Amino acid sequence: MGAEAAEPSLVDPSLVDADDIARGLEVDPAVGLSDAEAARRLARDGPNELRGVPPVPTWRKILAQFHDPLIYLLLVAVLVSIGAWIFERAAGSGAWPIDAIVIAAIVVLNAVLGFVQEARAGDAVAALSTMTAASSTVLRAGELATVLSADLVRGDVLALGEGDHVGADARLLSASALRVAEASLTGESEAVGKVADTLPAAAQLADRLNMVFKGTAVVEGVGRAVVTGTGMDTEVGAIASMLDATPAHVTPLQKEIERISRTLGAIVIGIALVVMLTIVLVQGVSTPADYVTVFLLGISLAVAAVPEGLPAILSVVLSIGVQRMARRNAVVKNLKSVETLGSASVICADKTGTLTKNEMTIERVLTASGAARVTGVGYRPEGAVLDADGRPLEDPRLHAEVLRTLGIGSLAGNAQLLEHDDAWEIQGDPTEAAFLVAAGKLVGTNGQVARFDRLDEVPFTSDRKMMSTLHEEKADGSLRIFSKGAPDVLLERCNRIQLGEEVVPLDDERRRRAHEDVRALSAQAFRTLGVAYSHVDPGSTPIDESHEHDLIYTGVVGIIDPPRDEATAAIAEAHRAGVRVIMITGDHPGTAARIASDLGIVPPGSTAVSGLELDRLDEPGLADTVRQTSVFARVSPRHKLRIVDALQANGQIVAMTGDGVNDAPALKSADIGVAMGITGTAVTREAATMILADDNFATIVVAVRQGRVIFDNIRKFLRYLLSSNMGEVLTVFLGVLFAGVLGLSGASNEAVVLPLLVTQILWINLVTDSGPALAMGIDPEIDDVMARPPRALTDRAVDGRMWFGILSTGIVMAVVTLATIDLFLPGGLLPGEDTLDVARTAGFTTLVFAQLFNAFNARSETSSAFRRLFVNRWLWGAIALTVLLQVAVVQLPFLQVAFGTAPLDAEHWLICVALASGVLWVEELRKVVLRALDRA
């Protein structure tokens, strides 16, 4: 606001000397910026915040609920009905426009349901967001000060220490044993060792070791860094910009409803024109009053043909689906996204924290006497240490070696393992914490650890690749150095090896075997750390690198971020459902392939495709790669986005899961983005359409099942509504066309004689299109929905087979209704003795009951209506209520006047029910044929 333009961003500070960076930013690294200069730069560049998405006003959220082609169709029906009512009033009729009022009420109800449910989802998302303001320690005018991270500016000198969150992108000036957790940004599961040296060449984000980035966290060590980028000029900001440029996709359900709405619109117009023209030609309409009657009938039939309850029923069904998913820890932000997961053909999952626990765990210990397995995963110190065959560790030599290895590894570190409310958490480096957890699983280890007091440390650096600590034994005051680090580095400093309780020379054969052990673990994608120790003379304090020689090698451990227990079963269930699972991670290719194999994503021995390999692929090559490869490693946010887009271009419906900032663009681009609620970042939750409150990958597969059930239920009530409405339209159309054959023409002196009155058509829509259809929308799973492949993009909610069923059912309904009228009316094909009012009432009742029988038909396209007949108590309740209402409208005098009905006796009722059941039996025969065709 009136400030001078911001200076251009520095070009890859990792390639520029730190002193040159400081000079370019006009800051003395030993003093930092003054408060006045920091304030000036803050006013110029703006706060260190990501560009937020403006909140959507409530009125726009409400209007968005009406942005639906089917709603447009219903609103047109309301306007036409009101116009017809005005025309009627001019002709002397005083009846209220009941149809317009009912449809308008349904449209408003639909909007309210959608708005309320999405507001609830928004509240749930907000509850997952953190409410604390981050702060940073900076050097200002030669003094350390704590400022809000939002107030950081380019040129600020950050003072970094263990536990600090990095507030901005910065170039390191100095680093001492500095390790930073960057999983949320790069996907790298291990903390990254940092150095201040200038890089010789450009590197990928995960390999810029002299840079720290906004949104990451320091797990160990200390350092100083000069801020080079703030706000949108950070790596997180670059991802946010990519997110803004990523278009949101229309869900398959939205596309399908739009297509159905267009089809229904054309059908409605056609019905109105054909019926009106047929009446004029067949019944010889001549007077203006008769033309008005014909026009109103055409309009009424057109309105009747529109399933006005569909939007409200759809919203209710989706809302119930959202609530069911919420009870299973899946928060859905948009109603129409509920069904999309059921259509997913590919789930792209981030590895770290999504498929794995993001808790580094020691699983193997290899020593001179053999191998040991460590059971249990995560930070809870529960499990056991077993031998290579899975039996209790009984070999005394192996037990002694493993005990020393785990005990020394626990002492040679700075991490802490803490328990809060029966939950275990760590402070410090996850790899160091893995030793603490494993030590708690071997009886006696913690006792060994408690014997020593720590005196000094030689910290880890990326150059040395090891660290050592000096400890004093409490009992006798003797001093020992405990070391851990890269096995090849550590072995070079060892000349002896632990063999049981003895120490023997590390000869060439034993050294060769030790190296083979390391290679064997590395081949299985374990991260390896060697452990060693030595005795030192009293007074050897402080210690330095000169003391790290003539060490006694105890063994090597294999560490891995283990797969989630539930993920393996969930992936197997996804595969059974024909859903492909793809792992996309920033981790090492070997580690990614190993975890993917353990989870069952790929067969053993499969390899991963790296981000560098993706960069060399053109679009056809990428399309072929994503068809054949299910593990991608060392990928950037740009790679993730390309993978998702390529899958979609191949005709796949893609669900993308993730928790880090680096996942956000791909989550937004995917057909449905799934963020982690606990470990997920605010940026990721904002981009996603669904959030897993429990961070459980298995919840996604549960949501896939629920989405498929929802889609099945949508097809059920579409089948029911459209076939029932088809029955009404064909009843009137055929009744008018064959009025003379049925005896309708001779039963009245009116020029236009209708088989059903307009008010009766509206009544049928009211009582049969609401309760039964809604009950079908919450129908339990009839068939195993996970035993079939996902539906293709070309598959329709209402396909050719269903349209044929809708038409055939509509014809049967019209035939049994008109047959009932003909049976009771004199002058037709069948002998009858009743009045037109009685015959019309009987036909009216038959059509209502035929639609109720059709409710059982519609529950499955091929399965018998009698399969799991009584599992849906809501459907039975809706049918019972509809029957009571129909009895009332026929038998109660005041309703007889309103709807033009006449009372029926028991014989009439039995005949109506018997003829109406014909819909059930004809459909059962059709299903027998369909099942035979499917088997063939």
Side-chain angles (χ1 to χ4, degrees), residues 161-332:
E162 184 175 317
D164 288 346
H165 287 274
V166 181
D169 286 7
R171 170 70 162 84
L172 283 168
L173 300 167
S174 63
S176 176
L178 184 66
R179 295 171 65 78
V180 180
E182 297 180 343
S184 67
L185 185 64
T186 66
E188 175 65 62
S189 59
E190 300 175 5
V192 179
K194 295 292 184 176
V195 295
D197 301 337
T198 303
L199 297 186
Q204 293 187 6
L205 191 64
D207 298 321
R208 295 178 197 169
L209 303 183
N210 59 2
M211 296 290 296
V212 290
F213 303 106
K214 179 180 175 67
T216 61
V218 178
V219 298
E220 185 180 20
V222 294
R224 292 284 177 97
V226 59
V227 173
T228 58
T230 62
M232 296 300 290
D233 194 27
T234 60
E235 291 298 331
V236 173
I239 293 174
S241 297
M242 193 186 304
L243 197 60
D244 291 340
T246 303
H249 286 265
V250 179
T251 69
L253 182 60
Q254 287 173 308
K255 296 176 184 176
E256 189 64 19
I257 293 300
E258 183 177 349
R259 189 188 68 84
I260 292 173
S261 300
R262 289 196 303 267
T263 303
L264 287 176
I267 291 174
V268 164
I269 294 172
I271 286 171
L273 293 176
V274 169
V275 170
M276 287 188 289
L277 184 62
T278 301
I279 294 174
V280 169
L281 294 177
V282 172
Q283 299 202 1
V285 176
S286 57
T287 66
D290 289 342
Y291 278 109
V292 170
T293 301
V294 171
F295 174 74
L296 292 178
L297 176 64
I299 295 300
S300 298
L301 274 182
V303 172
V306 177
E308 61 268 16
L310 178 56
I313 292 170
L314 190 60
S315 293
V316 169
V317 169
L318 293 177
S319 295
I320 292 171
V322 165
Q323 292 165 11
R324 287 177 175 174
M325 286 188 179
R327 287 195 291 269
R328 301 296 295 270
N329 294 311
V331 179
V332 180

Side-chain angles (χ1 to χ4, degrees), residues 815-847:
V815 168
V816 297
T817 300
L818 295 176
T820 304
I821 294 173
D822 187 31
L823 179 63
F824 295 118
L825 196 65
L829 295 175
L830 302 172
E833 300 177 352
D834 291 302
T835 64
L836 176 60
D837 286 343
V838 171
R840 185 182 277 154
T841 300
F844 168 45
T845 301
T846 299
L847 184 54

Side-chain angles (χ1 to χ4, degrees), residues 427-452:
Q427 291 182 357
D429 190 303
T431 302
E432 293 186 349
F435 277 98
L436 300 176
V437 176
K441 300 174 183 178
L442 181 61
V443 176
T445 308
N446 287 334
Q448 293 288 328
V449 170
R451 291 165 43 197
F452 297 93

